[in-house]
Amino acid sequence: MHELILTTHSVEETRDFGIFIGKHAEDDLFIALSGTLGAGKTHLVQGIARGLDIDEVVTSPTFNIMNIFEGRLLLKHFDFYRLDREEDLYNIGWDEYSVGGVTVVEWADMFPGLIPKEAIRITIEAESETVRKLTIQWEEQAPQKLVKEIEQYVAGH
């Protein structure tokens, strides 16, 4: 597993990284987010949505489990927080919804068996009220073009 660390110093910087990911996203991208409540997972997803040219307000789908947004690519935003079992996801069509477009899962660490090897995993830790440490991890199967873009982004920050 490969790993990079990015430190952001504001909500805007976290969103900016999301915008960067969204602008460079290609079809069938899977992003697995982890972090405590309030760490900034949804802020990152808001940025990804903006980078995908989505104008709608993006909020965490905690109670819906999934929200879908149309942009340059379809954004499927999942939140595993309130789920007890993987079967709950299959009941709403996980197999169909988790491929194509851009899939972003908050609380991905709750069901690690559902996260594909192609996923880019981002763990967000709050180091202070404004500072966030983003640990970005991926395996060889991850989209290499995006990985190279992220490596350049992190090197420049």
Side-chain angles (χ1 to χ4, degrees):
M1 176 117 17
H2 303 274
E3 181 176 294
L4 289 171
I5 305 289
L6 173 67
T7 302
T8 62
H9 298 88
S10 66
V11 168
E12 291 75 25
E13 282 186 25
T14 301
R15 272 199 200 113
D16 285 348
F17 180 57
I19 291 169
F20 179 86
I21 291 172
K23 284 183 183 294
H24 292 87
E26 293 183 0
D27 193 40
D28 217 21
L29 174 62
F30 195 108
I31 305 227
L33 300 177
S34 301
T36 58
L37 277 172
K41 296 179 295 296
T42 303
H43 291 134
L44 187 67
V45 179
Q46 290 168 341
I48 292 169
R50 197 174 303 157
L52 289 169
D53 301 323
I54 295 167
D55 294 326
E56 294 175 66
V57 175
V58 174
T59 58
S60 183
T62 303
F63 294 100
N64 312 21
I65 311 302
M66 175 189 66
N67 289 331
I68 297 178
F69 303 94
E70 290 199 33
R72 182 175 58 80
L73 294 168
L74 201 62
L75 173 62
K76 291 150 308 161
H77 181 199
F78 287 87
D79 188 326
F80 288 178
Y81 186 71
R82 297 217 180 272
L83 296 174
D84 295 320
R85 306 166 311 158
E86 286 182 17
E87 294 80 41
D88 296 336
L89 283 161
Y90 289 106
N91 292 338
I92 63 165
W94 172 256
D95 288 334
E96 297 85 39
Y97 288 122
S98 63
V99 294
V102 176
T103 302
V104 180
V105 174
E106 293 191 38
W107 298 96
D109 49 327
M110 290 185 67
F111 301 114
L114 293 178
I115 309 307
K117 291 201 177 298
E118 304 83 39
I120 293 177
R121 302 165 192 270
I122 303 173
T123 302
I124 304 176
E125 298 172 73
E127 297 206 323
S128 74
E129 198 163 311
T130 56
V131 176
R132 298 295 183 263
K133 175 182 164 189
L134 285 72
T135 303
I136 306 152
Q137 299 177 311
W138 67 92
E139 295 185 37
E140 295 302 323
Q141 298 89 335
Q144 291 304 303
K145 185 176 175 190
L146 178 57
V147 164
K148 289 187 185 340
E149 296 286 350
I150 291 172
E151 287 174 328
Q152 290 176 350
Y153 184 94
V154 171
H157 284 81

